[in-house]
Amino acid sequence: MPEDFSPARFTEFLARTLASIPRSDQRRWGELYVRGLLSVDGKKTMRALASNAGGGVEQSLYQFITKSPWDCVPVRREMARHLHRHTEPRAWVVRPLVITKVGRHSVGVERQFVAQLGRIVNCQQGMGLWLASDQLSSPVDWWLALPECWTDEPEMRRRASIPEHVGSCPPEQCAIRSVARMTDEWNMPARPVVMDLRDTAPHPVCAELADRQIPFVVRVDPAMSHTALEPLRSPGRGPGTATATAAPAATGPDGGLTGALSRNRMPVEWLDHRTGVVRATSVGSTRVRLRSPGGGRDGRQELVLLGAWGKPGRRGPSEYWLSNLSRPRLGTVYRTAMLSRRVERDQAEVSDRLGLRDFEGRSFRGWHHHMTMVSLAHAITVLSRADRGPAHEFSVPRSAKVSAA
């Protein structure tokens, strides 16, 4: 094990999270797998993980990950509850995961358009749900978005051992299911859900989260045709003020929305988790109606829109966020949105190095088992760092100057 890891944290955490696995030998293989993820340099192949354990166990580790019928959901549930107790997360951040592949045999692989990359690639597309605070973030649940070519073909389903109840699921719908599982099945107190909806219609996702009484802060692009926003005149200042009458319809992000946001702007201090630097950004807010694609009064939601001027001299904001948080401070909403950068940083610095994209097996169960083990290794890493005390980068001085985000 790396020298800076706490043996007590490792032993206690795995004993608690792996307790739902019924067989003691399987729990032992789980511990060896996580230990290998934390210790092996480079790509986390099954052979490399087995060699780290002293050799002669490759087949057993392979069986544990790809074939054994242990359920990963109770493991993830206990991990999420433990993190909630010990880290007090401020948000649940949804982050898409794209795993490029060369061949076509891994479960869910298909040549498909990836919005984040803006092109067609041969890949798996997944989604992770992360608990996030200013100090750390950690993934606790995963979904694999299966294309219809995998779910509609019996031979493909059989080859990858895809359960009968699993069907094709767009990433944003996978996110809703994961959030619902956290609140309905795991009985965890809801936190604001942060996710990026610039490349899909935001209304269905926002409507379902609102129906479930789950707060959210989602990134949108008002210039896209699937994002229909109407500014509302508000008599007060701030994102929680009461709504009055509808303003003239906006013609786009440079129309009525920009004017409404500009009239209610203020500098907001926030910690840029990508760099560890405290910044201050000019952020405006206004109340808006989000229309459903089909239109009609029943399909309208009244929400708060935030616009952030990340670059000096821009006429309009460089980013937009929608929220249903009840009467929050403008700075609270924006700082919650910026926790997405905490997740971006921790995925790059921790999860990717622990083998997040390294699973080479072909089974649906194996993919989920591997992602669960990586999440455990990630949680141990960030909790061990937290044990050593808060880093100075997490303090937000009052004297921070306004600068571009």
Side-chain angles (χ1 to χ4, degrees):
M1 290 285 293
E3 293 181 359
D4 58 346
F5 281 77
S6 165
R9 171 73 74 181
F10 180 87
T11 302
E12 186 271 339
F13 183 74
L14 286 186
R16 181 184 295 274
T17 54
L18 299 181
S20 62
I21 299 179
R23 290 171 45 181
S24 60
D25 62 321
Q26 292 179 336
R27 295 194 295 273
R28 183 166 62 90
W29 296 128
E31 180 179 330
L32 284 175
Y33 199 90
V34 174
R35 189 181 295 272
L37 294 173
L38 292 167
S39 305
V40 171
D41 293 328
K43 192 168 185 179
K44 308 301 191 288
T45 64
M46 200 69 71
R47 178 167 297 178
L49 299 180
S51 298
N52 181 75
V57 298
E58 182 176 351
Q59 185 59 37
S60 296
L61 287 178
Y62 174 84
Q63 179 75 18
F64 169 75
I65 291 294
T66 63
K67 300 292 185 180
S68 296
W70 60 274
D71 189 354
C72 64
V73 174
V75 177
R76 295 178 183 180
R77 179 181 62 216
E78 184 53 41
M79 173 173 53
R81 289 175 174 175
H82 184 91
L83 286 163
H84 249 284
R85 288 192 298 268
H86 290 83
T87 65
E88 298 182 359
R90 287 176 43 211
W92 298 348
V93 178
V94 174
R95 180 166 175 81
L97 177 68
V98 178
I99 306 174
T100 57
K101 294 287 185 178
V102 176
R104 303 288 295 273
H105 300 293
S106 297
V107 60
V109 168
E110 174 66 355
R111 284 188 57 79
Q112 50 194 314
F113 179 77
V114 178
Q116 305 96 284
L117 304 178
R119 56 189 174 90
I120 295 175
V121 294
N122 192 62
C123 66
Q124 295 169 318
Q125 288 199 73
M127 183 283 305
L129 183 61
W130 296 61
L131 306 187
S133 67
D134 280 326
Q135 288 70 36
L136 59 86
S137 65
S138 191
V140 295
D141 203 14
W142 294 96
W143 289 82
L144 181 62
L146 295 175
E148 292 181 354
C149 64
W150 281 87
T151 59
D152 294 353
E153 293 293 333
E155 177 57 26
M156 299 284 275
R157 295 186 69 97
R158 184 198 63 79
R159 192 176 75 189
S161 301
I162 300 173
E164 292 183 3
H165 68 276
V166 174
S168 180
C169 178
E172 61 273 9
Q173 190 58 43
C174 292
I176 292 291
R177 293 181 184 179
S178 188
V179 169
R181 179 152 72 183
M182 293 265 283
T183 56
D184 300 344
E185 300 176 23
W186 297 1
N187 296 319
M188 295 183 62
R191 294 291 185 268
V193 174
V194 179
M195 61 189 303
D196 191 334
L197 297 178
R198 283 176 292 176
D199 297 307
T200 189
H203 188 279
V205 176
C206 293
E208 188 160 354
L209 290 174
D211 288 345
R212 294 178 176 275
Q213 297 183 324
I214 296 174
F216 60 80
V217 184
V218 298
R219 191 168 183 180
V220 297
D221 183 354
M224 301 298 288
S225 60
H226 55 237
T227 304
L229 297 173
E230 298 174 351
L232 300 173
R233 292 196 184 97
S234 182
R237 178 182 177 89
T241 54
T243 301
T245 58
T251 57
D254 292 327
L257 290 178
T258 297
L261 291 167
S262 297
R263 286 189 292 272
N264 187 27
R265 287 171 65 177
M266 61 180 289
V268 172
E269 295 179 353
W270 59 283
L271 175 63
D272 186 348
H273 293 288
R274 292 174 181 166
T275 61
V277 173
V278 174
R279 300 186 184 277
T281 297
S282 181
V283 181
S285 68
T286 186
R287 298 200 66 87
V288 296
R289 286 198 184 104
L290 173 64
R291 300 196 309 269
S292 67
R297 284 192 165 274
D298 293 339
R300 296 180 179 183
Q301 303 174 60
E302 293 191 4
L303 303 169
V304 174
L305 178 70
L306 265 62
W309 276 258
K311 297 180 180 179
R314 280 185 61 107
R315 180 171 180 269
S318 56
E319 59 184 87
Y320 298 84
W321 297 85
L322 277 175
S323 179
N324 68 339
L325 287 171
S326 177
R327 295 188 177 277
R329 294 178 180 272
L330 185 150
T332 299
V333 180
Y334 189 66
R335 282 189 285 270
T336 299
M338 291 300 98
L339 288 173
S340 57
R341 297 195 178 198
R342 170 84 262 178
V343 172
E344 179 184 348
R345 172 179 170 175
D346 285 350
Q347 179 178 308
E349 293 187 354
V350 183
S351 282
D352 281 342
R353 295 182 181 182
L354 291 171
L356 188 68
R357 306 169 196 267
D358 289 352
F359 181 65
E360 296 178 341
R362 300 182 180 184
S363 75
F364 182 84
R365 175 185 294 162
W367 187 88
H368 277 281
H369 283 175
H370 172 78
M371 300 301 280
T372 302
M373 294 295 107
V374 172
S375 299
L376 291 173
H378 181 111
I380 290 169
T381 301
V382 296
L383 288 171
S384 294
R385 290 178 178 177
D387 287 344
R388 297 195 295 273
H392 68 276
E393 65 175 302
F394 298 125
S395 61
V396 181
R398 295 181 179 274
S399 60
K401 296 180 180 180
V402 177
S403 61

